[in-house]
Amino acid sequence: MAELAENNKTGPQDQTAAPATPKDRIAPRRRRKGRRYVVIFLIVAVLAVGGYYLWRYFSTYEDTDDAQIDGHVNPISARITGHLVDVLVNDAQHVKAGEVLARIDPRDYEVALEQAEADLHNYEASLGNSRLQVPITTRDTGSQLKSANASKASAEAALESAQQQLKASQDALETAQYQVTQAEATHKTDTDNVGRYKLLVDKNEIARQIYDTTVDQAAADQATVEARKAAVRQAEQNVRVQQAAIQQAQQQIVTAEASIEAALTGPEQVSAREAQAKSAAAQVEQRKAAVDQAKLNLSYCTIVSPVTGIVGKKTTEVGQNVSPGQQLMAVVPLDDIWVTANFKETQLQHMRAGQRVTFTVDAYDRVYKARVTGIGGASGSRFSILPPENATGNYVKVVQRIPVRIDLDPGENADQLLRVGMSVEPKVYLH
């Protein structure tokens, strides 16, 4: 084009110029070829730079379509056996924490509570009596010991007196027996004299008065013998009385010693009473626990929601008999949800907790912001009911998936539109 412009400038006078040489024709071709190479180079460079940035962009995040919204599903179950008299909620109903969901007939548990309280009052009365017996036993054993010691001292004094009186009675008996012997000897002598004097009186050898005096003396001696024998019998009776008194005193001493030994066990008796009081106190505590349990069982008749959320999986109706552990429904809280994303193990090389995440759900046309909270401790297959067994020899390598927990940023689910189980497509930005 530059050559044509030059020719036009020269005008007609140049038309008679000499024809172009081959060298002049080669130069424009080379210039055109060089421009082509430059264009190709520029295109390759642009593609290379674009490919680099495109590669860099795609290498900055990892994504997956094997992810879903996860959260707590709180099962609501009965804690006692009973008959449902009221069910106040339905599926998909929003409930608040503490709101009544259902009621069980409380009459059986009210009776059980009254019985437990009556038992408690009975055992509390027994405890009061047991505690009262402790000081009473302490005082009684002390007074018993004093009384037993006094009884023993009195019995010992009575024994000593009876022994002294027995000795005196024995001495009196010996004296009386001696006097009887003397009286009998005197009576025998006088009796013999009466016989001799009788012969002499008959022969008038002695005066009759002497004979009569001897007869009177013999009669008096007989009376004396009888009196002395009566005194012996009285002395023997006194000896027997004193011997009985000694035996009685000895028995009283034995009884007093037994009372002393019983009174000396006072500390053991007090300890036994204290043990009874402690046992009664333990029984009272046991009955208090029974009352508390009865109150708990009565409170379990009212079934309330533990969290704020949405009711689901309701399987109970009024009139149904329920048992402990039987699930009646479930409550899903919407303010505590997260994303569980199952990434391939080949995608976890640069993934770390705290990395930024964005995700979308099929239900809504918006992007949610979140953060990686943690990476699971095992693959999903290891948590299955039947984990794979790779020692059979038929092993085929399969890329495993690891669950990654992703928590939403504050305020991202303020409208509580997300539901547990929704499909999620997250992107975890690695850089």
Side-chain angles (χ1 to χ4, degrees):
M1 298 295 292
E3 292 176 356
L4 292 174
E6 191 67 28
N7 292 333
N8 291 334
K9 288 180 181 180
T10 56
Q13 66 272 17
D14 292 335
Q15 293 178 358
T16 60
T21 63
K23 185 177 181 181
D24 295 334
R25 290 193 298 267
I26 293 173
R29 276 193 222 126
R30 288 179 177 175
R31 285 194 294 270
R32 286 194 298 271
K33 191 175 181 180
R35 292 191 192 98
R36 193 181 305 120
Y37 288 149
V38 170
V39 172
I40 293 173
F41 175 76
L42 291 175
I43 293 173
V44 172
V46 169
L47 291 175
V49 172
Y52 170 75
Y53 281 103
L54 187 62
W55 169 82
R56 187 172 180 180
Y57 171 74
F58 284 111
S59 65
T60 57
Y61 69 86
E62 294 288 353
D63 62 348
T64 182
D65 58 359
D66 186 3
Q68 63 279 334
I69 301 295
D70 210 344
H72 301 286
V73 178
N74 298 91
I76 307 300
S77 60
R79 302 186 67 174
I80 56 175
T81 301
H83 183 76
L84 281 177
V85 294
D86 202 359
V87 178
L88 304 175
V89 294
N90 292 309
D91 279 326
Q93 180 176 336
H94 185 274
V95 294
K96 295 182 179 180
E99 184 175 342
V100 178
L101 304 178
R103 289 190 179 93
I104 297 174
D105 190 353
R107 289 175 293 181
D108 292 339
Y109 297 98
E110 289 172 348
V111 173
L113 176 59
E114 292 175 358
Q115 180 64 43
E117 289 176 342
D119 291 342
L120 175 61
H121 295 328
N122 184 26
Y123 279 94
E124 284 177 342
S126 298
L127 174 61
N129 184 44
S130 298
R131 287 176 174 173
L132 184 62
Q133 291 298 322
V134 174
I136 292 176
T137 303
T138 303
R139 290 193 299 269
D140 287 348
T141 53
S143 61
Q144 287 175 1
L145 180 60
K146 292 180 181 179
S147 177
N149 286 327
S151 298
K152 182 180 179 181
S154 176
E156 288 176 346
L159 176 62
E160 185 178 358
S161 175
Q163 288 174 344
Q164 291 176 356
Q165 291 179 6
L166 175 63
K167 188 176 183 305
S169 297
Q170 288 174 344
D171 292 341
L173 176 62
E174 290 177 358
T175 301
Q177 289 174 344
Y178 177 72
Q179 289 177 351
V180 167
T181 302
Q182 287 183 337
E184 288 178 344
T186 302
H187 178 260
K188 185 175 183 307
T189 299
D190 290 340
T191 301
D192 292 342
N193 289 335
V194 167
R196 287 196 303 273
Y197 289 167
K198 175 67 177 173
L199 295 176
L200 293 176
V201 167
D202 292 340
K203 294 178 181 181
N204 294 320
E205 293 181 354
I206 61 173
R208 184 143 187 110
Q209 182 180 1
I210 296 174
Y211 172 75
D212 292 338
T213 302
T214 303
V215 171
D216 294 338
Q217 185 64 41
D221 291 339
Q222 179 65 34
T224 301
V225 169
E226 295 298 330
R228 294 291 184 268
K229 286 182 178 180
V232 168
R233 290 194 295 271
Q234 182 64 40
E236 289 176 345
Q237 179 65 26
N238 291 338
V239 169
R240 288 192 294 271
V241 169
Q242 297 306 318
Q243 287 175 343
I246 288 174
Q247 291 178 354
Q248 183 177 3
Q250 290 175 341
Q251 184 64 35
Q252 289 177 349
I253 290 174
V254 172
T255 303
E257 289 177 346
S259 298
I260 291 173
E261 291 180 357
L264 290 176
T265 62
E268 288 77 6
Q269 295 181 24
V270 172
S271 298
R273 291 294 185 182
E274 291 176 346
Q276 291 177 355
K278 290 180 180 179
S279 176
Q283 291 178 343
V284 167
E285 293 299 324
Q286 183 179 3
R287 298 303 164 180
K288 286 181 179 179
V291 170
D292 293 339
Q293 184 62 57
K295 289 180 179 179
L296 279 176
N297 290 339
L298 182 59
S299 68
Y300 294 154
C301 291
T302 302
I303 302 172
V304 299
S305 175
V307 294
T308 299
I310 303 296
V311 175
K313 202 177 180 181
K314 175 175 166 289
T315 60
T316 185
E317 297 295 341
V318 174
Q320 182 177 352
N321 290 322
V322 297
S323 58
Q326 179 180 347
Q327 185 170 342
L328 309 180
M329 63 191 73
V331 177
V332 182
L334 302 180
D335 56 354
D336 186 15
I337 60 175
W338 62 92
V339 175
T340 299
N342 298 302
F343 284 96
K344 296 178 182 179
E345 55 186 317
T346 55
Q347 295 177 287
L348 301 179
Q349 181 178 2
H350 302 291
M351 195 173 296
R352 301 290 184 271
Q355 290 173 339
R356 183 172 61 91
V357 180
T358 61
F359 68 88
T360 59
V361 295
D362 295 341
Y364 310 116
D365 185 17
R366 61 167 291 188
V367 177
Y368 291 88
K369 297 178 181 179
R371 295 279 176 180
V372 174
T373 303
I375 300 175
S379 64
S381 60
R382 298 302 300 177
F383 288 119
S384 63
I385 298 177
L386 297 174
E389 178 57 58
N390 296 331
T392 60
N394 297 325
Y395 171 68
V396 177
K397 182 178 180 181
V398 178
V399 176
Q400 300 296 318
R401 289 184 178 269
I402 306 296
V404 176
R405 173 165 173 152
I406 300 172
D407 284 347
L408 280 73
D409 288 349
E412 285 296 302
N413 190 36
D415 51 8
Q416 294 187 348
L417 294 178
L418 296 178
R419 295 292 189 269
V420 175
M422 282 185 170
S423 296
V424 176
E425 294 184 5
K427 288 183 180 180
V428 178
Y429 292 91
L430 307 177
H431 304 291

